[in-house]
Amino acid sequence: MDLLKAIVERRSVRSFRADFVPEDMLRRLVEAGIWAPSGGNAQTWRFIIITDGGSIRRLKMLSPGLLGNPPAVIVICQDVAKAERKGAKLGKEVLSLMDSAMAAQNIMLAAYAEGLGTCIVRSFHPGGVQKLLRLPEYIEPQILISVGVPVSMPKPPKRNFDIVSFQEYRSND
Amino acid sequence: MISSIETKAFELVCYMVTSACNLLNENRLYGPFRLLDTASRLITILEEEGVKSKRLGEIRERIVAGQFSVMEDEKVFTDFLQDLVLALIPLMEDGTV
């Protein structure tokens, strides 16, 4: 699939069919995430793929932004202890989150190319999800991505393209 | 033995309590959105438990049709909320209230 086509056509999907997503497909999506850039090449992310129905139900109870009934959820975590060792305060507080976001975008584009729908979710209780998934204290969940076959593709929200300046900032307000 | 409705109610309560906590630091429009979603989920639970209500079904349909405008346009979302409230009034006259 043409990359720009995937970028323009990807949508946040919040309604999924019951079809399950094969494990090898989910692994390919996460592999796309692993190929994202990371600050200082830290690569301190950790990925958890959840397909168990009961586990997803429990995750939903602590994740108000996780909507619909996705057959799979990818949890992008960061080893924040390692992120701090590699990148100091900036690494832990800023770069790790940027890295998770870049990995998330790769995953969502790869999913679109496979005919799947996804939604990135940050409306969850991080401490609760950490406890629910029995993560060590230094492994922090940062992003959830619901994955599944979409019921339909939502229409795109408007985009404002009048926000680009060359050489120096110019306000268009 | 835990009943099916107890399980569903528990899940809804978890959603609401977690929302209450998280909304302290989220987009202010998410508050109304979560309330709508709670209403929609509650209607679904009641339906699954045998409470058949035309007016509740209509409210849920309206919620589902408009709730995601919160992501697109604040004015569209707020107009939708206003219209939704006004749509409740004829339903109040549906015999029982």
Side-chain angles (χ1 to χ4, degrees):
Chain A
M1 173 175 283
D2 175 73
L3 179 58
L4 198 58
K5 181 175 156 66
I7 288 170
V8 171
E9 292 183 359
R10 180 216 55 82
R11 296 286 168 268
S12 292
V13 171
R14 299 179 176 90
S15 186
F16 301 91
R17 289 165 42 154
D19 312 38
F20 94 111
V21 182
E23 184 180 310
D24 62 326
M25 192 178 279
L26 290 167
R27 284 185 181 275
R28 282 201 299 276
L29 302 190
V30 171
E31 192 177 318
I34 292 168
W35 280 105
S38 58
N41 192 33
Q43 299 188 49
T44 50
W45 39 48
R46 302 289 180 263
F47 301 88
I48 305 172
I49 301 171
I50 301 178
T51 56
D52 172 72
S55 299
I56 291 178
R57 279 181 83 147
R58 285 186 286 276
L59 197 55
K60 280 185 63 166
M61 291 183 215
L62 298 177
S63 309
L66 189 55
L67 300 176
N69 294 301
V73 177
I74 298 172
V75 186
I76 304 179
C77 307
Q78 281 282 341
D79 182 334
V80 292
K82 202 167 179 185
E84 188 168 27
R85 282 197 304 275
K86 289 195 164 199
K89 187 174 179 218
L90 187 75
K92 182 184 177 185
E93 293 178 6
V94 178
L95 299 181
S96 68
L97 191 53
M98 286 174 61
D99 298 347
S100 293
M102 290 189 286
Q105 179 69 341
N106 276 15
I107 288 171
M108 293 188 290
L109 291 176
Y112 183 76
E114 300 265 13
L116 298 171
T118 55
C119 188
I120 189 168
V121 175
R122 185 56 183 94
S123 281
F124 62 89
H125 195 282
V129 169
Q130 187 181 48
K131 189 172 179 180
L132 188 69
L133 298 180
R134 299 196 183 112
L135 303 176
E137 197 185 308
Y138 54 88
I139 303 289
E140 292 183 359
Q142 293 193 340
I143 291 173
L144 307 180
I145 302 177
S146 51
V147 185
V149 177
V151 166
S152 60
M153 276 299 186
K155 282 189 280 198
K158 284 180 288 196
R159 288 292 194 266
N160 178 11
F161 295 101
D162 194 26
I163 40 78
V164 180
S165 305
F166 280 91
Q167 316 311 337
E168 61 183 28
Y169 175 73
R170 281 188 175 76
S171 169
N172 290 314
D173 294 336
Chain B
M1 185 181 150
I2 295 175
S3 70
S4 153
I5 188 166
E6 196 278 351
T7 301
K8 292 174 188 177
F10 179 75
E11 289 180 4
L12 185 62
V13 164
C14 287
Y15 170 80
M16 293 169 73
V17 167
T18 306
S19 291
C21 179
N22 283 11
L23 284 164
L24 290 169
N25 297 304
E26 289 186 344
N27 182 330
R28 67 179 178 77
L29 292 180
Y30 279 16
F33 175 81
R34 299 262 181 259
L35 282 171
L36 288 183
D37 201 35
T38 300
S40 180
R41 291 180 190 214
L42 178 60
I43 293 168
T44 298
I45 289 172
L46 288 169
E47 190 178 76
E48 288 171 353
E49 294 300 315
V51 176
K52 301 279 188 254
S53 162
K54 190 162 170 277
R55 60 183 177 173
L56 287 179
E58 184 184 319
I59 292 169
R60 183 182 54 198
E61 241 178 73
R62 286 178 179 269
I63 290 172
V64 167
Q67 66 182 139
F68 289 113
S69 59
V70 71
M71 310 279 178
E72 297 169 27
D73 189 311
E74 181 169 344
K75 183 167 187 323
V76 169
F77 183 61
T78 50
D79 286 349
F80 156 71
L81 290 173
Q82 296 290 345
D83 290 345
L84 185 58
V85 170
L86 295 175
L88 299 175
I89 296 166
L91 299 179
M92 291 177 192
E93 290 154 17
D94 182 14
T96 54
V97 179

